[in-house]
Amino acid sequence: MKSIFPATYSTLCPKALSSLISEKYGISEVHCKLLVRGVGDTYLVESHDARFILRIYRSSHRSLAQIEEEVKLLLALKEADVSVSYPIADISGKMIVTINAVEGERNAVLFSYAAGSAVRFLNDHQLRILGNEMAKFHHVSSDLKFGQERWTFDLETTIFKPLETLQSVFTENPDDHIWLQGIADRIKIRLAKLDSSGFSKGYCHFDFLPKNFHFDGDKITFFDFDFMGQGWLVNDIMTFWVHLTLDTYMGRMTYEEFQNTYKIFLDGYREYRSISDQELAAIPYLAIGFWLFYMRFHTTHDQFYAFSQPAQLKSFVGFIRNIVENYWDKEN
């Protein structure tokens, strides 16, 4: 009998997954299709009358306890009528299904389908709706605490630890890494000058880019909570701000359009939840942590190897320099 060669990561067969879903969830005429690989592999699941999303997590990146915390948050948001793609229980009542893959056990969750599609450039009405729904999410997430399995977004996890990890990939351009270290020290000083005692805390999505929410008419649905963690809730506003500054940097909108777009979004947010001037003042500094956090993640995942190559690193550093030069307050 031939032994099976060990694997660290396998792509599960869509046909076999179709049978598994039919058995576990009692759904007939199931067809699965692989959409994307990432923290977990994402499959589109279609039956004769419904669509779902199946996420199969990589054990190297998300533990069972971390997935359980994500599930708890999403169920709480659904219960509070926040519009999210939510986990669906199998016929035995379980939200998480364990699959014995070649590399070992992998955990899977079936999610409701987010109707509609991603919109790259939001109109004024959509911007207001985005602000409304993000505020509703924060209203719920600020009151929840399920455990300590998810990470905390702070200077250590978003700036200093990522910089330590990234040193090994900056061997061809060490000057950029040295510059980033100096920027990190300046961020620490700048944020220390703000009164953060009143900053709202709770679970953050930390990736509110247009690819992670769909619009179906006037209805928005949030999804992809892979990177959810605890921290200042202004981090979520920051992630959308980063998207706008990137579009401005790439010439897809003018600075005036950026300002107007951001204002409409914030006005929508403030219809449901307050945000202080001190919190907003922190955003250009927290934004550097967004880039460094995900740059570090790229070094841990084989799919994103290309993102840690010198040319791509130069691009990322360029995005960071743009924020420092154009959005930071000038130092005295």
Short mmCIF file of all heavy atoms in Angstrom, two decimals, residues 235-256:
data_model
loop_
_atom_site.label_atom_id
_atom_site.label_comp_id
_atom_site.label_asym_id
_atom_site.label_seq_id
_atom_site.Cartn_x
_atom_site.Cartn_y
_atom_site.Cartn_z
N ASN A 235 -9.91 52.29 14.52
CA ASN A 235 -9.13 51.54 13.55
C ASN A 235 -9.95 51.16 12.33
O ASN A 235 -9.42 51.08 11.21
CB ASN A 235 -8.55 50.27 14.19
CG ASN A 235 -7.27 50.53 14.94
OD1 ASN A 235 -6.30 51.04 14.39
ND2 ASN A 235 -7.25 50.17 16.22
N ASP A 236 -11.24 50.90 12.51
CA ASP A 236 -12.07 50.54 11.37
C ASP A 236 -12.31 51.74 10.45
O ASP A 236 -12.30 51.61 9.22
CB ASP A 236 -13.41 49.97 11.85
CG ASP A 236 -13.29 48.52 12.28
OD1 ASP A 236 -12.32 47.85 11.86
OD2 ASP A 236 -14.17 48.04 13.02
N ILE A 237 -12.55 52.89 11.05
CA ILE A 237 -12.67 54.11 10.25
C ILE A 237 -11.36 54.34 9.50
O ILE A 237 -11.36 54.72 8.32
CB ILE A 237 -13.03 55.31 11.14
CG1 ILE A 237 -14.43 55.12 11.75
CG2 ILE A 237 -12.95 56.62 10.36
CD1 ILE A 237 -14.84 56.21 12.70
N MET A 238 -10.26 54.08 10.18
CA MET A 238 -8.94 54.25 9.57
C MET A 238 -8.78 53.39 8.33
O MET A 238 -8.21 53.82 7.32
CB MET A 238 -7.86 53.94 10.60
CG MET A 238 -6.44 53.92 10.06
SD MET A 238 -5.93 52.30 9.39
CE MET A 238 -5.82 51.33 10.88
N THR A 239 -9.26 52.13 8.36
CA THR A 239 -9.04 51.26 7.21
C THR A 239 -9.75 51.79 5.96
O THR A 239 -9.22 51.68 4.85
CB THR A 239 -9.48 49.81 7.49
OG1 THR A 239 -10.88 49.75 7.74
CG2 THR A 239 -8.73 49.24 8.68
N PHE A 240 -10.94 52.37 6.14
CA PHE A 240 -11.62 52.96 4.98
C PHE A 240 -10.89 54.23 4.56
O PHE A 240 -10.79 54.53 3.36
CB PHE A 240 -13.08 53.25 5.30
CG PHE A 240 -13.86 53.73 4.11
CD1 PHE A 240 -14.04 52.92 3.00
CD2 PHE A 240 -14.39 55.01 4.08
CE1 PHE A 240 -14.74 53.37 1.88
CE2 PHE A 240 -15.09 55.47 2.97
CZ PHE A 240 -15.26 54.65 1.87
N TRP A 241 -10.39 54.99 5.51
CA TRP A 241 -9.59 56.19 5.21
C TRP A 241 -8.37 55.80 4.39
O TRP A 241 -8.01 56.50 3.44
CB TRP A 241 -9.19 56.85 6.53
CG TRP A 241 -8.40 58.11 6.42
CD1 TRP A 241 -8.88 59.39 6.40
CD2 TRP A 241 -6.96 58.24 6.39
NE1 TRP A 241 -7.85 60.30 6.34
CE2 TRP A 241 -6.66 59.62 6.32
CE3 TRP A 241 -5.91 57.33 6.40
CZ2 TRP A 241 -5.35 60.11 6.27
CZ3 TRP A 241 -4.60 57.80 6.34
CH2 TRP A 241 -4.33 59.17 6.29
N VAL A 242 -7.71 54.69 4.73
CA VAL A 242 -6.55 54.22 3.97
C VAL A 242 -6.95 53.95 2.52
O VAL A 242 -6.20 54.30 1.59
CB VAL A 242 -5.96 52.95 4.62
CG1 VAL A 242 -5.02 52.22 3.65
CG2 VAL A 242 -5.21 53.31 5.90
N HIS A 243 -8.10 53.32 2.33
CA HIS A 243 -8.58 53.07 0.97
C HIS A 243 -8.72 54.37 0.18
O HIS A 243 -8.30 54.44 -0.99
CB HIS A 243 -9.93 52.34 1.03
CG HIS A 243 -10.72 52.42 -0.23
ND1 HIS A 243 -10.35 51.78 -1.40
CD2 HIS A 243 -11.88 53.09 -0.52
CE1 HIS A 243 -11.23 52.05 -2.35
NE2 HIS A 243 -12.15 52.84 -1.84
N LEU A 244 -9.26 55.40 0.81
CA LEU A 244 -9.45 56.68 0.12
C LEU A 244 -8.12 57.35 -0.18
O LEU A 244 -7.94 57.92 -1.27
CB LEU A 244 -10.33 57.60 0.98
CG LEU A 244 -11.75 57.11 1.25
CD1 LEU A 244 -12.50 58.13 2.12
CD2 LEU A 244 -12.53 56.88 -0.05
N THR A 245 -7.18 57.30 0.77
CA THR A 245 -5.88 57.92 0.51
C THR A 245 -5.12 57.18 -0.59
O THR A 245 -4.38 57.80 -1.37
CB THR A 245 -5.01 57.96 1.78
OG1 THR A 245 -4.80 56.64 2.28
CG2 THR A 245 -5.68 58.81 2.87
N LEU A 246 -5.30 55.87 -0.67
CA LEU A 246 -4.65 55.11 -1.74
C LEU A 246 -5.22 55.49 -3.10
O LEU A 246 -4.47 55.66 -4.07
CB LEU A 246 -4.81 53.61 -1.49
CG LEU A 246 -4.13 52.68 -2.50
CD1 LEU A 246 -2.63 52.95 -2.58
CD2 LEU A 246 -4.39 51.22 -2.15
N ASP A 247 -6.54 55.63 -3.18
CA ASP A 247 -7.16 56.06 -4.44
C ASP A 247 -6.69 57.45 -4.83
O ASP A 247 -6.50 57.74 -6.02
CB ASP A 247 -8.68 56.04 -4.31
CG ASP A 247 -9.27 54.69 -4.69
OD1 ASP A 247 -8.51 53.80 -5.14
OD2 ASP A 247 -10.50 54.50 -4.55
N THR A 248 -6.50 58.31 -3.84
CA THR A 248 -5.99 59.66 -4.12
C THR A 248 -4.55 59.59 -4.61
O THR A 248 -4.17 60.25 -5.59
CB THR A 248 -6.09 60.54 -2.86
OG1 THR A 248 -7.44 60.54 -2.38
CG2 THR A 248 -5.69 61.98 -3.16
N TYR A 249 -3.74 58.80 -3.96
CA TYR A 249 -2.33 58.63 -4.33
C TYR A 249 -2.19 58.08 -5.75
O TYR A 249 -1.31 58.50 -6.52
CB TYR A 249 -1.67 57.69 -3.33
CG TYR A 249 -0.24 57.33 -3.61
CD1 TYR A 249 0.79 58.25 -3.41
CD2 TYR A 249 0.10 56.05 -4.05
CE1 TYR A 249 2.13 57.91 -3.65
CE2 TYR A 249 1.42 55.69 -4.29
CZ TYR A 249 2.43 56.63 -4.09
OH TYR A 249 3.73 56.28 -4.32
N MET A 250 -3.10 57.16 -6.12
CA MET A 250 -3.03 56.53 -7.44
C MET A 250 -3.71 57.36 -8.52
O MET A 250 -3.76 56.94 -9.68
CB MET A 250 -3.67 55.13 -7.37
CG MET A 250 -3.02 54.19 -6.39
SD MET A 250 -1.27 53.84 -6.74
CE MET A 250 -1.43 52.89 -8.25
N GLY A 251 -4.26 58.51 -8.15
CA GLY A 251 -4.88 59.40 -9.12
C GLY A 251 -6.29 59.02 -9.51
O GLY A 251 -6.82 59.53 -10.51
N ARG A 252 -6.91 58.15 -8.72
CA ARG A 252 -8.28 57.74 -9.03
C ARG A 252 -9.31 58.72 -8.49
O ARG A 252 -10.48 58.64 -8.83
CB ARG A 252 -8.53 56.32 -8.50
CG ARG A 252 -7.74 55.25 -9.25
CD ARG A 252 -8.14 53.86 -8.85
NE ARG A 252 -7.60 53.45 -7.57
CZ ARG A 252 -6.55 52.67 -7.40
NH1 ARG A 252 -5.91 52.20 -8.47
NH2 ARG A 252 -6.12 52.32 -6.21
N MET A 253 -8.88 59.61 -7.59
CA MET A 253 -9.73 60.71 -7.14
C MET A 253 -8.83 61.87 -6.75
O MET A 253 -7.64 61.68 -6.44
CB MET A 253 -10.63 60.29 -5.96
CG MET A 253 -9.92 59.95 -4.67
SD MET A 253 -11.04 59.78 -3.22
CE MET A 253 -12.22 58.58 -3.78
N THR A 254 -9.38 63.07 -6.76
CA THR A 254 -8.61 64.24 -6.36
C THR A 254 -8.62 64.37 -4.84
O THR A 254 -9.43 63.73 -4.15
CB THR A 254 -9.19 65.52 -6.98
OG1 THR A 254 -10.50 65.74 -6.42
CG2 THR A 254 -9.29 65.40 -8.49
N TYR A 255 -7.75 65.22 -4.32
CA TYR A 255 -7.72 65.43 -2.87
C TYR A 255 -9.04 66.03 -2.40
O TYR A 255 -9.54 65.68 -1.33
CB TYR A 255 -6.55 66.35 -2.50
CG TYR A 255 -6.44 66.59 -1.01
CD1 TYR A 255 -5.99 65.58 -0.16
CD2 TYR A 255 -6.80 67.81 -0.45
CE1 TYR A 255 -5.91 65.77 1.21
CE2 TYR A 255 -6.72 68.02 0.92
CZ TYR A 255 -6.26 67.00 1.75
OH TYR A 255 -6.18 67.20 3.10
N GLU A 256 -9.62 66.91 -3.22
CA GLU A 256 -10.90 67.52 -2.86
C GLU A 256 -12.00 66.45 -2.82
O GLU A 256 -12.86 66.47 -1.93
CB GLU A 256 -11.27 68.63 -3.86
CG GLU A 256 -10.39 69.87 -3.77
CD GLU A 256 -8.98 69.64 -4.30
OE1 GLU A 256 -8.77 68.71 -5.14
OE2 GLU A 256 -8.06 70.38 -3.88
#
